[in-house]
Amino acid sequence: MTATIPPQPLLRVENLAVSFDGPTGRVQAVNGVNLSIYPGQTLCVVGESGCGKSVSALSALQLVPTPPGRFDSGKIWWAPAPGSSPGSSSETSSRETGSDPVDLLSLSEKQMQKIRGNEIAMIFQEPMTSLNPVYTVGEQILEAILLHQKVTRKQAIEIAVGALVDVGIADAVSRLKVYPHQMSGGMRQRIMIAMALACQPKLLLADEPTTALDVTIQAQILELLRKLQEERGMSIMLITHDLGVVAENADVVAVMYAGRVVEYGSVYDVFDNPLHPYTRGLFDSMPVLGAPKSRLRTIEGNVPNPANLPQGCPFHPRCRSFEGDAQCTGADPPLHEITPGHWANCWHVEGYSEGKVTQLNVATIRQSQS
């Protein structure tokens, strides 16, 4: 079951292209990515390592180092609720109501500092390298609170303690004095979540937040994110390579390959009817409970070097549907809306030629999350 949500996306990525300096020239890490995230929605971005998932998320906060990185094209539209405009009144008089979307890539560093951690927060893959080892947990949480909220230090400490309690950390007051190395991996990840959510952001970017954790801790962290999302009405962009995590958490799924979105749709559409050969290959490589298989089928070959992508569709050298078609080697197909709310970019998808290039918007959330 799904529920319709407001038609205005909270965040909309439009034709984003990001490249980096490499030893042999520019490397296109992200090439024409389109995404939309609505209030209260969870968008899961799935794909192999190096497909551009993390760079797409980092771009929303202008955290891609420039140089060597460069934003070649595209816009990232941010449309927060009224009263939460990113700039000062003098700088953004036309956006004082917060009703008009603003391109995050056009903002100055000073304006972005008001958004990072305050309106959009991010959880990184490895908490031990993201937390500063020479500062206590409390000092690091307080820094974000004092930067974005007009509160006294005493009030900030109360907010920090409340954030630790919210993420299930016992004896929160004493934990503020602990250093990161004195905590387990699961506890450090909870600290990262507490830091990210201390200022009540509208959007949380979670970059494989459970990768370094064991299975039971993974389940606890994901359950915690779902609980906090439901309580706060927060949107989440969850980056993962685990399709099981996607099935449990996603409202909408974006499948990426070689810097491109190759399939996009609701979690039900993508799981019930995967269209792109790459998406079908990912599902074929997963064991299914109750379905006997003597051997799982893998995707042949390797992910192409982003500095030397194949001509045409970058997936065609590994594609089971490719039979020397001139279309596949001639041009990279654009995303077409094959059925309402379900997009793919493969010449071999049934109905592709009749599909249209439309804006990627799936404005639904699961009924249980509404």
Side-chain angles (χ1 to χ4, degrees):
M1 295 290 292
T2 59
T4 302
I5 56 178
Q8 172 81 327
L10 183 65
L11 184 85
R12 180 162 61 86
V13 180
E14 182 180 282
N15 297 318
L16 178 67
V18 184
S19 61
F20 293 86
D21 285 323
T24 58
R26 301 297 299 182
V27 175
Q28 202 70 49
V30 171
N31 190 4
V33 163
N34 291 272
L35 302 169
S36 292
I37 306 175
Y38 285 80
Q41 190 180 69
T42 298
L43 168 70
C44 279
V45 183
V46 63
E48 295 170 89
S49 296
C51 70
K53 305 186 301 294
S54 297
V55 173
S56 298
L58 291 169
S59 298
L61 291 174
Q62 286 195 31
L63 291 179
V64 174
T66 54
R70 182 178 69 196
F71 297 110
D72 297 315
S73 65
K75 298 180 184 297
I76 301 179
W77 297 105
W78 174 243
S84 56
S85 176
S88 66
S89 58
S90 61
E91 293 173 314
T92 58
S93 57
S94 64
R95 299 193 298 270
E96 284 181 349
T97 63
S99 58
D100 296 327
V102 56
D103 178 15
L104 294 175
L105 297 182
S106 71
L107 298 185
S108 66
E109 178 61 24
K110 182 179 179 181
Q111 289 173 311
M112 284 304 304
Q113 286 176 358
K114 296 180 180 180
I115 290 180
R116 295 190 197 113
N118 187 34
E119 297 186 22
I120 306 175
M122 188 162 187
I123 303 172
F124 299 92
Q125 286 189 37
E126 178 45 63
M128 196 59 213
T129 57
S130 301
L131 294 170
N132 194 319
V134 301
Y135 291 98
T136 64
V137 163
E139 289 171 320
Q140 296 182 63
I141 300 177
L142 289 176
E143 180 183 17
I145 296 171
L146 293 171
L147 177 64
H148 294 297
Q149 301 186 42
K150 295 180 180 179
V151 295
T152 64
R153 184 172 181 83
K154 180 179 179 181
Q155 291 172 322
I157 291 174
E158 292 175 356
I159 294 172
V161 170
L164 294 182
V165 171
D166 286 344
V167 299
I169 293 180
D171 196 13
V173 175
S174 64
R175 291 289 184 179
L176 292 176
K177 303 173 184 178
V178 170
Y179 288 88
H181 72 272
Q182 297 174 293
M183 311 183 86
S184 66
M187 290 292 283
R188 287 197 295 266
Q189 196 60 286
R190 288 174 185 266
I191 294 296
M192 286 291 296
I193 296 172
M195 289 177 61
L197 302 184
C199 295
Q200 305 278 335
K202 298 173 181 63
L203 173 63
L204 177 66
L205 309 176
D207 188 0
E208 303 199 35
T210 61
T211 297
L213 307 176
D214 64 60
V215 176
T216 54
I217 302 300
Q218 282 186 32
Q220 292 174 16
I221 294 297
L222 291 170
E223 178 60 31
L224 171 62
L225 289 177
R226 287 194 295 268
K227 172 177 173 288
L228 293 173
Q229 179 184 35
E230 187 172 347
E231 291 174 353
R232 302 183 181 193
M234 179 177 60
S235 301
I236 296 178
M237 178 179 177
L238 179 60
I239 298 170
T240 183
H241 59 267
D242 188 332
L243 290 174
V245 169
V246 174
E248 286 288 328
N249 295 275
D251 299 311
V252 179
V253 181
V255 182
M256 290 189 66
Y257 184 82
R260 298 151 175 81
V261 175
V262 297
E263 186 161 352
Y264 191 91
S266 74
V267 64
Y268 304 110
D269 287 338
V270 173
F271 273 68
D272 292 344
N273 183 32
L275 298 175
H276 197 279
Y278 176 63
T279 310
R280 295 200 300 269
L282 292 177
F283 284 116
D284 287 345
S285 65
M286 285 184 60
V288 178
L289 189 65
K293 281 190 177 181
S294 58
R295 187 178 182 87
L296 294 175
R297 189 175 183 182
T298 60
I299 301 175
E300 296 180 357
N302 298 306
V303 179
N305 184 339
N308 187 28
L309 291 175
Q311 179 67 30
C313 172
F315 186 63
H316 83 260
R318 309 175 68 190
C319 183
R320 299 170 195 160
S321 301
F322 176 64
E323 296 178 349
D325 311 72
Q327 280 185 318
C328 298
T329 56
D332 187 12
L335 278 166
H336 280 191
E337 189 171 13
I338 311 302
T339 58
H342 195 178
W343 290 259
N345 75 334
C346 175
W347 303 109
H348 292 281
V349 170
E350 184 178 354
Y352 180 81
S353 59
E354 292 80 27
K356 303 295 183 183
V357 177
T358 56
Q359 186 171 302
L360 276 64
N361 283 333
V362 181
T364 59
I365 57 175
R366 299 188 190 197
Q367 189 68 46
S368 60
Q369 295 179 354
S370 60

